[in-house]
Amino acid sequence: MVADSEVDLLGAAVSYGWQATDEEAPGEEVVNVGVADEAEDTVVIDVDEVRGWLSHAGRAVPVAAALNVWNLATDVAYSRGWVRSDRGYWADRAYDKLFAANVPWALGLAAYRPRWTSQELTALRRIEGEAVGLLRTTFTGV
């Protein structure tokens, strides 16, 4: 289900008779979406920032948006039974750098600023381009 806002999504859930539960499914984290004005529960994924980066070769990699778009596209593909070509030596290196830049503390670092090789950037551009296309097709039908 796709909605323009969290409020619209909650309204759709109510119309389907879906109810939130406090029980966690095995291996899943419960996210509280019961109150629409709690900004920490809403994640904005800026696909346009990634599209802008793809259109301008010299621009710095938008590490937060790139990681979010990559992860969302992977989730969407998985939920639809599609296979993505986002793995391999250079792709894995690019993903690891995006991850480290976004959550350096998970790797025991205070901060991390990636230095990209041309091979990593080539892989990242291919994967992000495919991710943007997948999301556009899925959510707009275009």
Side-chain angles (χ1 to χ4, degrees), residues 70 86-97 116-124 126-127:
W70 186 326
D86 61 349
R87 298 302 309 267
Y89 180 78
W90 295 111
D92 292 347
R93 284 177 54 113
Y95 186 88
D96 290 347
K97 287 184 176 185
W116 302 95
T117 67
S118 61
Q119 295 93 336
E120 291 163 348
L121 285 173
T122 298
L124 186 58
R126 177 187 56 77
I127 291 162

XYZ file of all heavy atoms in Angstrom, residues 70 86-97 116-124 126-127:
213
model
N 18.602 2.611 -1.735
C 19.068 1.237 -1.974
C 18.258 0.256 -1.124
O 17.741 -0.745 -1.623
C 20.542 1.145 -1.643
C 21.240 -0.149 -1.958
C 20.734 -1.421 -1.896
C 22.594 -0.302 -2.368
N 21.691 -2.342 -2.237
C 22.847 -1.679 -2.535
C 23.632 0.591 -2.589
C 24.089 -2.175 -2.918
C 24.868 0.093 -2.982
C 25.080 -1.277 -3.146
N 22.212 -6.127 -7.091
C 22.901 -5.161 -6.230
C 23.970 -5.818 -5.368
O 24.307 -5.313 -4.306
C 21.895 -4.407 -5.359
C 21.117 -5.323 -4.421
O 21.194 -6.559 -4.576
O 20.416 -4.797 -3.530
N 24.484 -6.929 -5.812
C 25.537 -7.622 -5.068
C 26.740 -7.823 -5.978
O 26.644 -7.746 -7.187
C 25.046 -8.990 -4.567
C 23.880 -8.965 -3.595
C 24.124 -8.171 -2.335
N 25.344 -8.492 -1.640
C 25.472 -9.367 -0.661
N 24.447 -10.045 -0.235
N 26.636 -9.556 -0.080
N 27.861 -8.123 -5.372
C 29.115 -8.309 -6.090
C 30.207 -7.553 -5.362
O 29.939 -6.771 -4.442
N 31.421 -7.779 -5.762
C 32.560 -7.200 -5.052
C 32.454 -5.687 -4.920
O 32.513 -5.140 -3.810
C 33.868 -7.601 -5.736
C 35.073 -7.041 -5.044
C 35.554 -7.634 -3.871
C 35.723 -5.911 -5.516
C 36.658 -7.115 -3.204
C 36.829 -5.381 -4.859
C 37.287 -5.984 -3.706
O 38.381 -5.474 -3.050
N 32.302 -4.968 -6.053
C 32.283 -3.505 -6.005
C 30.995 -2.982 -5.396
O 30.999 -1.987 -4.661
C 32.523 -2.915 -7.391
C 33.882 -3.246 -7.889
C 34.206 -4.080 -8.922
C 35.136 -2.807 -7.336
N 35.567 -4.171 -9.049
C 36.170 -3.404 -8.094
C 35.487 -1.970 -6.281
C 37.518 -3.178 -7.821
C 36.838 -1.741 -6.014
C 37.832 -2.347 -6.781
N 29.888 -3.648 -5.663
C 28.621 -3.244 -5.067
C 28.667 -3.403 -3.549
O 28.222 -2.518 -2.809
C 27.485 -4.069 -5.655
N 29.191 -4.516 -3.089
C 29.287 -4.745 -1.644
C 30.185 -3.713 -0.974
O 29.887 -3.228 0.124
C 29.791 -6.162 -1.346
C 28.786 -7.240 -1.734
O 27.612 -6.914 -2.012
O 29.188 -8.417 -1.766
N 31.279 -3.359 -1.631
C 32.174 -2.329 -1.080
C 31.460 -0.984 -0.997
O 31.574 -0.254 -0.011
C 33.441 -2.203 -1.920
C 34.420 -3.331 -1.695
C 35.632 -3.197 -2.618
N 36.258 -1.892 -2.504
C 37.470 -1.673 -2.010
N 38.202 -2.682 -1.579
N 37.970 -0.463 -1.957
N 30.692 -0.647 -2.040
C 29.955 0.615 -2.051
C 28.907 0.624 -0.942
O 28.766 1.611 -0.213
C 29.300 0.843 -3.414
N 28.178 -0.483 -0.793
C 27.161 -0.557 0.257
C 27.798 -0.424 1.637
O 27.290 0.300 2.498
C 26.371 -1.867 0.176
C 25.236 -1.893 1.165
C 23.986 -1.388 0.821
C 25.421 -2.376 2.461
C 22.944 -1.373 1.743
C 24.392 -2.361 3.385
C 23.159 -1.861 3.026
O 22.140 -1.832 3.940
N 28.908 -1.112 1.846
C 29.590 -1.036 3.143
C 30.001 0.395 3.471
O 29.908 0.832 4.626
C 30.814 -1.954 3.165
C 30.454 -3.429 3.175
O 29.266 -3.770 3.405
O 31.365 -4.258 2.921
N 30.430 1.149 2.463
C 30.816 2.542 2.699
C 29.599 3.409 3.004
O 29.666 4.289 3.875
C 31.595 3.091 1.501
C 33.001 2.517 1.426
C 33.811 3.122 0.302
C 35.235 2.571 0.348
N 36.104 3.205 -0.648
N 35.810 7.225 -2.441
C 35.291 6.310 -3.436
C 36.299 6.014 -4.530
O 36.962 6.918 -5.026
C 34.032 6.902 -4.074
C 32.963 7.201 -3.085
C 32.715 8.406 -2.482
C 32.009 6.282 -2.564
N 31.651 8.285 -1.617
C 31.195 6.992 -1.657
C 31.758 4.931 -2.778
C 30.154 6.394 -0.968
C 30.712 4.339 -2.088
C 29.921 5.065 -1.203
N 36.385 4.761 -4.925
C 37.155 4.396 -6.115
C 36.228 4.536 -7.323
O 34.987 4.564 -7.173
C 37.667 2.941 -6.049
O 36.545 2.045 -6.116
C 38.483 2.690 -4.784
N 36.806 4.614 -8.497
C 35.972 4.733 -9.698
C 35.097 3.492 -9.883
O 33.950 3.589 -10.323
C 36.832 4.978 -10.934
O 37.714 3.895 -11.147
N 35.601 2.322 -9.508
C 34.822 1.093 -9.639
C 33.615 1.104 -8.693
O 32.520 0.657 -9.054
C 35.680 -0.142 -9.359
C 36.797 -0.348 -10.357
C 38.105 0.302 -9.905
O 38.133 1.251 -9.113
N 39.216 -0.211 -10.425
N 33.816 1.590 -7.470
C 32.717 1.682 -6.511
C 31.651 2.668 -6.997
O 30.450 2.384 -6.914
C 33.231 2.103 -5.136
C 34.076 1.051 -4.462
C 34.922 1.589 -3.325
O 35.055 2.837 -3.172
O 35.451 0.770 -2.572
N 32.094 3.806 -7.522
C 31.147 4.796 -8.029
C 30.370 4.266 -9.228
O 29.167 4.517 -9.352
C 31.864 6.097 -8.385
C 32.282 6.956 -7.202
C 33.136 8.128 -7.662
C 31.071 7.442 -6.422
N 31.047 3.525 -10.089
C 30.361 2.923 -11.237
C 29.283 1.957 -10.760
O 28.142 1.987 -11.236
C 31.371 2.201 -12.153
O 32.298 3.169 -12.660
C 30.680 1.489 -13.299
N 29.632 1.113 -9.811
C 28.655 0.163 -9.260
C 27.526 0.908 -8.567
O 26.342 0.573 -8.740
C 29.341 -0.809 -8.293
N 27.870 1.926 -7.783
C 26.862 2.683 -7.040
C 25.903 3.397 -7.990
O 24.689 3.368 -7.783
C 27.544 3.682 -6.103
C 26.630 4.444 -5.154
C 25.826 3.498 -4.266
C 27.464 5.403 -4.300
N 25.110 2.526 -11.051
C 24.268 1.512 -11.693
C 23.159 1.069 -10.746
O 21.984 1.032 -11.110
C 25.109 0.310 -12.125
C 24.265 -0.826 -12.756
C 25.084 -2.075 -13.030
N 25.767 -2.624 -11.872
C 25.171 -3.349 -10.906
N 23.873 -3.592 -10.953
N 25.874 -3.832 -9.898
N 23.529 0.762 -9.524
C 22.569 0.244 -8.544
C 21.541 1.299 -8.168
O 20.339 1.015 -8.088
C 23.312 -0.298 -7.310
C 24.076 -1.558 -7.707
C 22.359 -0.555 -6.151
C 25.165 -1.958 -6.749
